[in-house]
Amino acid sequence: MVDAIKGPASYFPSIEKKYGRPIAEWKDLIRSSPLTRHMELVSWLKSEHGLGHGHANALVAHTLAEGGGKEG
């Protein structure tokens, strides 16, 4: 039996399908942004890249949790 993916990563397949970029590319964008705070990054992804709130939030949360060099 395979465990279902939980948390922010559960959004990744739909993010890739909807926006046409691999997750690694989104994470690179987040890491290279001059913004550092979670909600600043979420707002930036929404306004500059057209992501929905849930998708942007999942990407930022997962990237920051990995130690993306930002807040935390």
Side-chain angles (χ1 to χ4, degrees):
M1 184 173 146
V2 176
D3 290 333
I5 297 172
K6 297 179 182 174
S10 67
Y11 286 93
F12 289 177
S14 61
I15 291 170
E16 288 181 334
K17 183 178 179 182
K18 184 168 185 171
Y19 305 106
R21 287 185 180 192
I23 295 305
E25 194 172 316
W26 289 114
K27 288 182 175 188
D28 288 344
L29 280 172
I30 292 166
R31 288 186 190 106
S32 67
S33 169
L35 303 173
T36 58
R37 300 179 56 89
H38 181 100
M39 288 310 298
E40 289 176 336
L41 288 160
V42 170
S43 295
W44 172 70
L45 286 172
K46 289 167 62 176
S47 65
E48 296 297 317
H49 297 283
L51 272 69
H53 182 82
H55 288 160
N57 190 58
L59 283 167
V60 172
H62 199 272
T63 304
L64 293 182
E66 289 181 331
K70 306 285 183 171
E71 74 178 5

Short mmCIF file of all heavy atoms in Angstrom, two decimals:
data_model
loop_
_atom_site.label_atom_id
_atom_site.label_comp_id
_atom_site.label_asym_id
_atom_site.label_seq_id
_atom_site.Cartn_x
_atom_site.Cartn_y
_atom_site.Cartn_z
N MET A 1 0.83 -1.19 0.00
CA MET A 1 0.00 0.00 0.00
C MET A 1 0.87 1.25 0.00
O MET A 1 1.84 1.33 0.75
CB MET A 1 -0.90 -0.01 1.25
CG MET A 1 -1.86 1.14 1.30
SD MET A 1 -2.99 0.90 2.69
CE MET A 1 -3.23 2.59 3.15
N VAL A 2 0.54 2.19 -0.82
CA VAL A 2 1.30 3.43 -0.93
C VAL A 2 0.58 4.52 -0.15
O VAL A 2 -0.62 4.70 -0.29
CB VAL A 2 1.45 3.85 -2.41
CG1 VAL A 2 2.16 5.18 -2.52
CG2 VAL A 2 2.18 2.78 -3.20
N ASP A 3 1.34 5.22 0.70
CA ASP A 3 0.75 6.32 1.47
C ASP A 3 0.43 7.48 0.55
O ASP A 3 1.22 7.81 -0.34
CB ASP A 3 1.71 6.80 2.57
CG ASP A 3 1.88 5.79 3.69
OD1 ASP A 3 0.94 4.99 3.90
OD2 ASP A 3 2.93 5.79 4.33
N ALA A 4 -0.71 8.09 0.77
CA ALA A 4 -1.08 9.27 -0.01
C ALA A 4 -0.18 10.43 0.38
O ALA A 4 0.23 10.56 1.53
CB ALA A 4 -2.54 9.63 0.24
N ILE A 5 0.12 11.26 -0.60
CA ILE A 5 0.91 12.46 -0.33
C ILE A 5 0.05 13.43 0.47
O ILE A 5 -1.11 13.66 0.15
CB ILE A 5 1.39 13.12 -1.63
CG1 ILE A 5 2.31 12.14 -2.38
CG2 ILE A 5 2.11 14.43 -1.37
CD1 ILE A 5 2.67 12.61 -3.76
N LYS A 6 0.64 13.98 1.52
CA LYS A 6 -0.11 14.90 2.38
C LYS A 6 0.58 16.26 2.41
O LYS A 6 1.71 16.40 2.00
CB LYS A 6 -0.18 14.33 3.80
CG LYS A 6 -0.94 13.02 3.87
CD LYS A 6 -0.97 12.48 5.27
CE LYS A 6 -1.70 11.14 5.29
NZ LYS A 6 -1.63 10.51 6.58
N GLY A 7 -0.12 17.23 2.94
CA GLY A 7 0.44 18.56 3.11
C GLY A 7 0.57 19.30 1.79
O GLY A 7 -0.08 18.96 0.79
N PRO A 8 1.44 20.31 1.76
CA PRO A 8 1.59 21.14 0.56
C PRO A 8 1.91 20.36 -0.70
O PRO A 8 1.44 20.69 -1.79
CB PRO A 8 2.74 22.08 0.92
CG PRO A 8 2.75 22.15 2.40
CD PRO A 8 2.28 20.78 2.86
N ALA A 9 2.68 19.28 -0.58
CA ALA A 9 3.08 18.52 -1.76
C ALA A 9 1.89 17.87 -2.46
O ALA A 9 1.98 17.52 -3.64
CB ALA A 9 4.12 17.46 -1.38
N SER A 10 0.78 17.72 -1.76
CA SER A 10 -0.40 17.12 -2.39
C SER A 10 -0.94 17.99 -3.52
O SER A 10 -1.66 17.51 -4.39
CB SER A 10 -1.50 16.86 -1.35
OG SER A 10 -2.01 18.08 -0.83
N TYR A 11 -0.58 19.26 -3.53
CA TYR A 11 -1.01 20.19 -4.58
C TYR A 11 -0.12 20.13 -5.82
O TYR A 11 -0.48 20.65 -6.87
CB TYR A 11 -0.98 21.64 -4.08
CG TYR A 11 -2.06 22.02 -3.13
CD1 TYR A 11 -1.89 21.92 -1.76
CD2 TYR A 11 -3.28 22.51 -3.60
CE1 TYR A 11 -2.90 22.29 -0.88
CE2 TYR A 11 -4.29 22.88 -2.74
CZ TYR A 11 -4.09 22.77 -1.38
OH TYR A 11 -5.09 23.13 -0.52
N PHE A 12 1.06 19.54 -5.71
CA PHE A 12 2.05 19.65 -6.77
C PHE A 12 1.58 19.12 -8.13
O PHE A 12 1.81 19.80 -9.14
CB PHE A 12 3.37 19.00 -6.35
CG PHE A 12 4.12 19.77 -5.29
CD1 PHE A 12 5.30 19.26 -4.78
CD2 PHE A 12 3.66 20.98 -4.79
CE1 PHE A 12 6.01 19.95 -3.80
CE2 PHE A 12 4.35 21.68 -3.81
CZ PHE A 12 5.53 21.16 -3.32
N PRO A 13 0.95 17.96 -8.21
CA PRO A 13 0.51 17.51 -9.55
C PRO A 13 -0.45 18.48 -10.23
O PRO A 13 -0.33 18.75 -11.43
CB PRO A 13 -0.17 16.17 -9.26
CG PRO A 13 0.46 15.70 -7.99
CD PRO A 13 0.71 16.95 -7.19
N SER A 14 -1.38 19.05 -9.48
CA SER A 14 -2.32 19.98 -10.10
C SER A 14 -1.66 21.31 -10.43
O SER A 14 -2.03 21.96 -11.42
CB SER A 14 -3.56 20.19 -9.21
OG SER A 14 -3.20 20.73 -7.96
N ILE A 15 -0.66 21.72 -9.66
CA ILE A 15 0.08 22.95 -9.97
C ILE A 15 0.83 22.79 -11.30
O ILE A 15 0.76 23.65 -12.17
CB ILE A 15 1.06 23.31 -8.82
CG1 ILE A 15 0.28 23.73 -7.58
CG2 ILE A 15 2.03 24.42 -9.26
CD1 ILE A 15 1.13 23.87 -6.31
N GLU A 16 1.51 21.67 -11.43
CA GLU A 16 2.26 21.44 -12.68
C GLU A 16 1.32 21.38 -13.87
O GLU A 16 1.61 21.93 -14.93
CB GLU A 16 3.08 20.15 -12.56
CG GLU A 16 4.26 20.30 -11.64
CD GLU A 16 5.10 19.04 -11.53
OE1 GLU A 16 4.58 17.92 -11.75
OE2 GLU A 16 6.30 19.18 -11.21
N LYS A 17 0.19 20.70 -13.72
CA LYS A 17 -0.76 20.57 -14.81
C LYS A 17 -1.38 21.92 -15.18
O LYS A 17 -1.47 22.28 -16.35
CB LYS A 17 -1.85 19.57 -14.42
CG LYS A 17 -2.85 19.32 -15.53
CD LYS A 17 -3.87 18.28 -15.10
CE LYS A 17 -4.87 18.05 -16.22
NZ LYS A 17 -5.89 17.08 -15.84
N LYS A 18 -1.79 22.68 -14.18
CA LYS A 18 -2.50 23.93 -14.44
C LYS A 18 -1.59 25.03 -14.98
O LYS A 18 -1.99 25.79 -15.86
CB LYS A 18 -3.20 24.41 -13.17
CG LYS A 18 -4.03 25.66 -13.38
CD LYS A 18 -4.93 25.96 -12.22
CE LYS A 18 -5.82 27.16 -12.55
NZ LYS A 18 -6.85 27.36 -11.54
N TYR A 19 -0.37 25.13 -14.44
CA TYR A 19 0.49 26.27 -14.79
C TYR A 19 1.64 25.91 -15.73
O TYR A 19 2.37 26.79 -16.19
CB TYR A 19 1.02 26.94 -13.52
CG TYR A 19 -0.11 27.37 -12.60
CD1 TYR A 19 -0.37 26.66 -11.44
CD2 TYR A 19 -0.93 28.44 -12.92
CE1 TYR A 19 -1.41 27.03 -10.60
CE2 TYR A 19 -1.97 28.81 -12.10
CZ TYR A 19 -2.22 28.10 -10.94
OH TYR A 19 -3.26 28.46 -10.12
N GLY A 20 1.83 24.62 -16.01
CA GLY A 20 2.78 24.20 -17.03
C GLY A 20 4.25 24.32 -16.69
O GLY A 20 5.10 24.31 -17.59
N ARG A 21 4.56 24.44 -15.41
CA ARG A 21 5.96 24.50 -15.00
C ARG A 21 6.21 23.41 -13.96
O ARG A 21 5.35 23.17 -13.11
CB ARG A 21 6.29 25.84 -14.32
CG ARG A 21 6.38 27.01 -15.22
CD ARG A 21 6.84 28.22 -14.43
NE ARG A 21 6.93 29.38 -15.29
CZ ARG A 21 7.51 30.51 -14.94
NH1 ARG A 21 8.04 30.64 -13.74
NH2 ARG A 21 7.56 31.52 -15.77
N PRO A 22 7.38 22.81 -13.98
CA PRO A 22 7.69 21.83 -12.94
C PRO A 22 7.86 22.51 -11.57
O PRO A 22 8.21 23.69 -11.48
CB PRO A 22 9.00 21.20 -13.40
CG PRO A 22 9.58 22.16 -14.38
CD PRO A 22 8.45 22.96 -14.96
N ILE A 23 7.62 21.74 -10.53
CA ILE A 23 7.71 22.28 -9.17
C ILE A 23 9.10 22.83 -8.89
O ILE A 23 9.25 23.87 -8.25
CB ILE A 23 7.33 21.18 -8.13
CG1 ILE A 23 5.84 20.79 -8.31
CG2 ILE A 23 7.61 21.65 -6.71
CD1 ILE A 23 4.85 21.94 -8.24
N ALA A 24 10.13 22.18 -9.39
CA ALA A 24 11.50 22.66 -9.16
C ALA A 24 11.67 24.08 -9.68
O ALA A 24 12.37 24.90 -9.08
CB ALA A 24 12.50 21.72 -9.82
N GLU A 25 11.05 24.38 -10.80
CA GLU A 25 11.15 25.74 -11.37
C GLU A 25 10.45 26.75 -10.47
O GLU A 25 10.96 27.85 -10.25
CB GLU A 25 10.53 25.74 -12.76
CG GLU A 25 10.86 26.97 -13.56
CD GLU A 25 10.40 26.86 -15.01
OE1 GLU A 25 10.60 25.80 -15.63
OE2 GLU A 25 9.83 27.85 -15.50
N TRP A 26 9.27 26.40 -9.94
CA TRP A 26 8.58 27.31 -9.02
C TRP A 26 9.42 27.54 -7.76
O TRP A 26 9.54 28.67 -7.29
CB TRP A 26 7.21 26.74 -8.63
CG TRP A 26 6.21 26.78 -9.73
CD1 TRP A 26 5.66 25.72 -10.38
CD2 TRP A 26 5.64 27.96 -10.34
NE1 TRP A 26 4.78 26.15 -11.34
CE2 TRP A 26 4.75 27.52 -11.34
CE3 TRP A 26 5.79 29.32 -10.14
CZ2 TRP A 26 4.01 28.40 -12.12
CZ3 TRP A 26 5.07 30.20 -10.92
CH2 TRP A 26 4.20 29.75 -11.90
N LYS A 27 10.02 26.48 -7.26
CA LYS A 27 10.86 26.62 -6.05
C LYS A 27 12.07 27.50 -6.32
O LYS A 27 12.45 28.31 -5.47
CB LYS A 27 11.28 25.25 -5.54
CG LYS A 27 10.15 24.47 -4.92
CD LYS A 27 10.65 23.14 -4.40
CE LYS A 27 9.56 22.41 -3.67
NZ LYS A 27 10.07 21.23 -3.00
N ASP A 28 12.67 27.36 -7.49
CA ASP A 28 13.80 28.21 -7.86
C ASP A 28 13.38 29.68 -7.91
O ASP A 28 14.11 30.56 -7.46
CB ASP A 28 14.39 27.80 -9.20
CG ASP A 28 15.17 26.50 -9.14
OD1 ASP A 28 15.52 26.06 -8.02
OD2 ASP A 28 15.42 25.92 -10.22
N LEU A 29 12.19 29.94 -8.46
CA LEU A 29 11.67 31.32 -8.49
C LEU A 29 11.50 31.87 -7.09
O LEU A 29 11.87 33.01 -6.81
CB LEU A 29 10.33 31.37 -9.21
CG LEU A 29 10.34 31.36 -10.73
CD1 LEU A 29 8.93 31.21 -11.27
CD2 LEU A 29 10.97 32.64 -11.26
N ILE A 30 10.93 31.07 -6.20
CA ILE A 30 10.73 31.51 -4.82
C ILE A 30 12.05 31.79 -4.15
O ILE A 30 12.23 32.83 -3.51
CB ILE A 30 9.91 30.45 -4.05
CG1 ILE A 30 8.48 30.39 -4.59
CG2 ILE A 30 9.93 30.73 -2.54
CD1 ILE A 30 7.67 29.18 -4.15
N ARG A 31 13.01 30.89 -4.31
CA ARG A 31 14.32 31.07 -3.67
C ARG A 31 15.08 32.28 -4.22
O ARG A 31 15.85 32.90 -3.50
CB ARG A 31 15.17 29.81 -3.86
CG ARG A 31 14.68 28.64 -3.04
CD ARG A 31 15.64 27.45 -3.16
NE ARG A 31 15.05 26.28 -2.55
CZ ARG A 31 14.55 25.25 -3.22
NH1 ARG A 31 14.58 25.23 -4.54
NH2 ARG A 31 14.03 24.23 -2.58
N SER A 32 14.86 32.59 -5.49
CA SER A 32 15.58 33.72 -6.09
C SER A 32 14.89 35.06 -5.88
O SER A 32 15.46 36.10 -6.18
CB SER A 32 15.81 33.47 -7.58
OG SER A 32 14.57 33.48 -8.26
N SER A 33 13.68 35.03 -5.36
CA SER A 33 12.96 36.28 -5.12
C SER A 33 13.62 37.08 -4.00
O SER A 33 14.10 36.50 -3.02
CB SER A 33 11.51 35.96 -4.72
OG SER A 33 10.87 37.13 -4.25
N PRO A 34 13.62 38.41 -4.12
CA PRO A 34 14.15 39.23 -3.03
C PRO A 34 13.21 39.25 -1.82
O PRO A 34 13.60 39.69 -0.74
CB PRO A 34 14.28 40.62 -3.65
CG PRO A 34 13.29 40.63 -4.77
CD PRO A 34 13.22 39.21 -5.28
N LEU A 35 11.98 38.79 -2.00
CA LEU A 35 11.03 38.75 -0.90
C LEU A 35 11.41 37.63 0.06
O LEU A 35 11.97 36.61 -0.35
CB LEU A 35 9.61 38.53 -1.44
CG LEU A 35 9.12 39.57 -2.44
CD1 LEU A 35 7.79 39.16 -3.04
CD2 LEU A 35 9.02 40.94 -1.79
N THR A 36 11.08 37.81 1.34
CA THR A 36 11.47 36.82 2.33
C THR A 36 10.31 36.28 3.17
O THR A 36 10.41 35.19 3.70
CB THR A 36 12.51 37.40 3.30
OG1 THR A 36 11.96 38.54 3.94
CG2 THR A 36 13.80 37.75 2.57
N ARG A 37 9.25 37.03 3.29
CA ARG A 37 8.15 36.62 4.16
C ARG A 37 7.13 35.76 3.40
O ARG A 37 6.88 35.98 2.22
CB ARG A 37 7.49 37.83 4.78
CG ARG A 37 8.48 38.66 5.62
CD ARG A 37 7.84 39.88 6.23
NE ARG A 37 6.69 39.54 7.03
CZ ARG A 37 6.73 39.25 8.33
NH1 ARG A 37 7.88 39.28 8.96
NH2 ARG A 37 5.63 38.95 8.97
N HIS A 38 6.57 34.81 4.12
CA HIS A 38 5.64 33.85 3.52
C HIS A 38 4.55 34.54 2.71
O HIS A 38 4.37 34.25 1.53
CB HIS A 38 5.04 32.97 4.63
CG HIS A 38 4.09 31.95 4.10
ND1 HIS A 38 4.46 30.64 3.91
CD2 HIS A 38 2.80 32.03 3.73
CE1 HIS A 38 3.43 29.97 3.43
NE2 HIS A 38 2.41 30.78 3.32
N MET A 39 3.80 35.43 3.33
CA MET A 39 2.66 36.04 2.64
C MET A 39 3.09 37.00 1.54
O MET A 39 2.36 37.18 0.56
CB MET A 39 1.72 36.73 3.63
CG MET A 39 0.92 35.74 4.48
SD MET A 39 0.08 34.42 3.55
CE MET A 39 -1.05 35.36 2.54
N GLU A 40 4.27 37.60 1.66
CA GLU A 40 4.79 38.42 0.55
C GLU A 40 5.03 37.54 -0.67
O GLU A 40 4.69 37.92 -1.80
CB GLU A 40 6.12 39.07 0.95
CG GLU A 40 6.03 40.17 1.96
CD GLU A 40 7.41 40.69 2.37
OE1 GLU A 40 8.41 39.96 2.25
OE2 GLU A 40 7.46 41.84 2.82
N LEU A 41 5.61 36.39 -0.44
CA LEU A 41 5.89 35.46 -1.54
C LEU A 41 4.60 34.93 -2.15
O LEU A 41 4.47 34.81 -3.37
CB LEU A 41 6.77 34.31 -1.05
CG LEU A 41 8.22 34.71 -0.77
CD1 LEU A 41 8.89 33.71 0.15
CD2 LEU A 41 9.00 34.86 -2.06
N VAL A 42 3.61 34.61 -1.31
CA VAL A 42 2.32 34.14 -1.80
C VAL A 42 1.68 35.22 -2.68
O VAL A 42 1.23 34.95 -3.79
CB VAL A 42 1.39 33.73 -0.64
CG1 VAL A 42 -0.03 33.48 -1.12
CG2 VAL A 42 1.93 32.49 0.07
N SER A 43 1.65 36.44 -2.18
CA SER A 43 1.05 37.55 -2.95
C SER A 43 1.78 37.77 -4.27
O SER A 43 1.15 38.03 -5.29
CB SER A 43 1.08 38.83 -2.11
OG SER A 43 0.25 38.70 -0.98
N TRP A 44 3.09 37.66 -4.25
CA TRP A 44 3.90 37.82 -5.45
C TRP A 44 3.58 36.74 -6.49
O TRP A 44 3.40 37.05 -7.68
CB TRP A 44 5.38 37.80 -5.06
CG TRP A 44 6.33 37.77 -6.20
CD1 TRP A 44 6.59 38.78 -7.09
CD2 TRP A 44 7.16 36.67 -6.59
NE1 TRP A 44 7.54 38.37 -7.99
CE2 TRP A 44 7.91 37.08 -7.71
CE3 TRP A 44 7.34 35.39 -6.08
CZ2 TRP A 44 8.83 36.25 -8.33
CZ3 TRP A 44 8.26 34.57 -6.71
CH2 TRP A 44 8.98 35.00 -7.82
N LEU A 45 3.49 35.49 -6.06
CA LEU A 45 3.14 34.41 -6.99
C LEU A 45 1.75 34.63 -7.58
O LEU A 45 1.53 34.36 -8.75
CB LEU A 45 3.21 33.05 -6.30
CG LEU A 45 4.61 32.52 -6.00
CD1 LEU A 45 4.53 31.25 -5.15
CD2 LEU A 45 5.38 32.25 -7.28
N LYS A 46 0.84 35.12 -6.77
CA LYS A 46 -0.52 35.36 -7.25
C LYS A 46 -0.56 36.51 -8.25
O LYS A 46 -1.16 36.39 -9.33
CB LYS A 46 -1.44 35.66 -6.06
CG LYS A 46 -1.70 34.44 -5.20
CD LYS A 46 -2.34 34.78 -3.86
CE LYS A 46 -3.68 35.44 -4.00
NZ LYS A 46 -4.32 35.67 -2.68
N SER A 47 0.08 37.62 -7.92
CA SER A 47 -0.01 38.80 -8.78
C SER A 47 0.88 38.73 -10.01
O SER A 47 0.48 39.14 -11.10
CB SER A 47 0.31 40.07 -7.97
OG SER A 47 1.66 40.07 -7.54
N GLU A 48 2.08 38.20 -9.87
CA GLU A 48 3.04 38.20 -10.98
C GLU A 48 2.96 36.94 -11.85
O GLU A 48 3.36 36.97 -13.01
CB GLU A 48 4.47 38.35 -10.45
CG GLU A 48 4.73 39.68 -9.77
CD GLU A 48 4.58 40.87 -10.70
OE1 GLU A 48 5.05 40.80 -11.85
OE2 GLU A 48 3.97 41.87 -10.27
N HIS A 49 2.47 35.84 -11.26
CA HIS A 49 2.50 34.58 -11.99
C HIS A 49 1.12 33.94 -12.14
O HIS A 49 1.01 32.86 -12.71
CB HIS A 49 3.48 33.61 -11.33
CG HIS A 49 4.89 34.11 -11.37
ND1 HIS A 49 5.68 34.05 -12.50
CD2 HIS A 49 5.65 34.72 -10.42
CE1 HIS A 49 6.87 34.58 -12.24
NE2 HIS A 49 6.87 35.00 -10.99
N GLY A 50 0.09 34.58 -11.59
CA GLY A 50 -1.28 34.13 -11.79
C GLY A 50 -1.69 32.88 -11.04
O GLY A 50 -2.68 32.25 -11.39
N LEU A 51 -0.96 32.52 -10.00
CA LEU A 51 -1.33 31.34 -9.23
C LEU A 51 -2.51 31.66 -8.32
O LEU A 51 -2.68 32.79 -7.87
CB LEU A 51 -0.16 30.85 -8.37
CG LEU A 51 0.79 29.86 -9.04
CD1 LEU A 51 1.60 30.52 -10.12
CD2 LEU A 51 1.67 29.21 -8.00
N GLY A 52 -3.29 30.63 -8.03
CA GLY A 52 -4.34 30.76 -7.04
C GLY A 52 -3.73 30.76 -5.65
O GLY A 52 -2.58 30.33 -5.46
N HIS A 53 -4.49 31.20 -4.67
CA HIS A 53 -3.96 31.33 -3.31
C HIS A 53 -3.47 30.00 -2.75
O HIS A 53 -2.37 29.92 -2.20
CB HIS A 53 -5.02 31.94 -2.38
CG HIS A 53 -4.51 32.14 -0.99
ND1 HIS A 53 -3.76 33.23 -0.64
CD2 HIS A 53 -4.61 31.35 0.11
CE1 HIS A 53 -3.42 33.11 0.65
NE2 HIS A 53 -3.93 31.98 1.12
N GLY A 54 -4.28 28.96 -2.87
CA GLY A 54 -3.90 27.66 -2.31
C GLY A 54 -2.64 27.10 -2.94
O GLY A 54 -1.77 26.57 -2.23
N HIS A 55 -2.51 27.24 -4.25
CA HIS A 55 -1.33 26.74 -4.94
C HIS A 55 -0.09 27.55 -4.54
O HIS A 55 0.96 26.99 -4.27
CB HIS A 55 -1.52 26.78 -6.45
CG HIS A 55 -2.47 25.73 -6.94
ND1 HIS A 55 -3.10 25.82 -8.16
CD2 HIS A 55 -2.89 24.57 -6.39
CE1 HIS A 55 -3.86 24.75 -8.33
NE2 HIS A 55 -3.76 23.98 -7.27
N ALA A 56 -0.22 28.86 -4.51
CA ALA A 56 0.91 29.71 -4.12
C ALA A 56 1.32 29.42 -2.68
O ALA A 56 2.52 29.29 -2.38
CB ALA A 56 0.53 31.19 -4.28
N ASN A 57 0.35 29.29 -1.79
CA ASN A 57 0.63 29.01 -0.39
C ASN A 57 1.34 27.67 -0.23
O ASN A 57 2.31 27.56 0.53
CB ASN A 57 -0.68 29.02 0.41
CG ASN A 57 -0.45 28.99 1.89
OD1 ASN A 57 0.21 29.84 2.44
ND2 ASN A 57 -1.00 27.98 2.53
N ALA A 58 0.90 26.65 -0.95
CA ALA A 58 1.54 25.34 -0.86
C ALA A 58 2.99 25.39 -1.33
O ALA A 58 3.87 24.82 -0.68
CB ALA A 58 0.75 24.33 -1.70
N LEU A 59 3.25 26.06 -2.44
CA LEU A 59 4.62 26.17 -2.95
C LEU A 59 5.52 26.90 -1.96
O LEU A 59 6.64 26.46 -1.70
CB LEU A 59 4.63 26.89 -4.30
CG LEU A 59 4.19 26.07 -5.50
CD1 LEU A 59 3.94 26.98 -6.69
CD2 LEU A 59 5.22 25.01 -5.84
N VAL A 60 5.05 28.02 -1.44
CA VAL A 60 5.86 28.80 -0.51
C VAL A 60 6.10 28.01 0.78
O VAL A 60 7.24 27.93 1.26
CB VAL A 60 5.20 30.17 -0.20
CG1 VAL A 60 5.94 30.89 0.92
CG2 VAL A 60 5.18 31.03 -1.46
N ALA A 61 5.06 27.41 1.33
CA ALA A 61 5.21 26.66 2.58
C ALA A 61 6.21 25.52 2.42
O ALA A 61 7.10 25.33 3.27
CB ALA A 61 3.85 26.11 3.02
N HIS A 62 6.12 24.78 1.34
CA HIS A 62 7.02 23.65 1.12
C HIS A 62 8.45 24.13 0.90
O HIS A 62 9.39 23.55 1.43
CB HIS A 62 6.52 22.83 -0.08
CG HIS A 62 7.08 21.45 -0.12
ND1 HIS A 62 8.27 21.17 -0.74
CD2 HIS A 62 6.62 20.28 0.39
CE1 HIS A 62 8.52 19.87 -0.62
NE2 HIS A 62 7.53 19.31 0.06
N THR A 63 8.61 25.19 0.13
CA THR A 63 9.95 25.71 -0.16
C THR A 63 10.60 26.24 1.10
O THR A 63 11.77 25.96 1.38
CB THR A 63 9.89 26.80 -1.24
OG1 THR A 63 9.25 26.25 -2.40
CG2 THR A 63 11.28 27.30 -1.61
N LEU A 64 9.87 27.01 1.89
CA LEU A 64 10.44 27.56 3.12
C LEU A 64 10.76 26.46 4.12
O LEU A 64 11.75 26.54 4.84
CB LEU A 64 9.49 28.59 3.74
CG LEU A 64 9.27 29.88 2.93
CD1 LEU A 64 8.34 30.83 3.68
CD2 LEU A 64 10.58 30.57 2.60
N ALA A 65 9.92 25.43 4.17
CA ALA A 65 10.17 24.32 5.09
C ALA A 65 11.43 23.55 4.73
O ALA A 65 12.07 22.96 5.61
CB ALA A 65 8.96 23.38 5.10
N GLU A 66 11.80 23.58 3.47
CA GLU A 66 13.04 22.92 3.01
C GLU A 66 14.29 23.74 3.35
O GLU A 66 15.39 23.31 3.07
CB GLU A 66 13.00 22.71 1.50
CG GLU A 66 12.04 21.68 1.04
CD GLU A 66 12.07 21.51 -0.47
OE1 GLU A 66 12.37 22.48 -1.19
OE2 GLU A 66 11.77 20.42 -0.92
N GLY A 67 14.08 24.93 3.85
CA GLY A 67 15.22 25.79 4.14
C GLY A 67 15.62 26.60 2.94
O GLY A 67 16.77 26.61 2.54
N GLY A 68 14.63 27.25 2.36
CA GLY A 68 14.86 28.04 1.16
C GLY A 68 15.63 29.32 1.39
O GLY A 68 15.69 30.17 0.53
N GLY A 69 16.25 29.47 2.58
CA GLY A 69 17.03 30.66 2.85
C GLY A 69 16.18 31.88 3.18
O GLY A 69 16.65 33.00 3.14
N LYS A 70 14.94 31.64 3.49
CA LYS A 70 14.02 32.74 3.79
C LYS A 70 13.67 32.70 5.27
O LYS A 70 14.40 32.14 6.07
CB LYS A 70 12.76 32.61 2.93
CG LYS A 70 13.02 32.50 1.44
CD LYS A 70 13.42 33.81 0.84
CE LYS A 70 13.61 33.68 -0.68
NZ LYS A 70 13.79 34.94 -1.32
N GLU A 71 12.50 33.25 5.62
CA GLU A 71 12.12 33.30 7.02
C GLU A 71 12.01 31.90 7.60
O GLU A 71 11.78 30.93 6.91
CB GLU A 71 10.78 34.04 7.18
CG GLU A 71 9.56 33.25 6.72
CD GLU A 71 8.26 33.99 6.93
OE1 GLU A 71 8.28 35.16 7.34
OE2 GLU A 71 7.22 33.38 6.69
N GLY A 72 12.13 31.81 8.91
CA GLY A 72 11.92 30.51 9.52
C GLY A 72 12.97 30.17 10.42
O GLY A 72 13.66 29.77 11.03
#
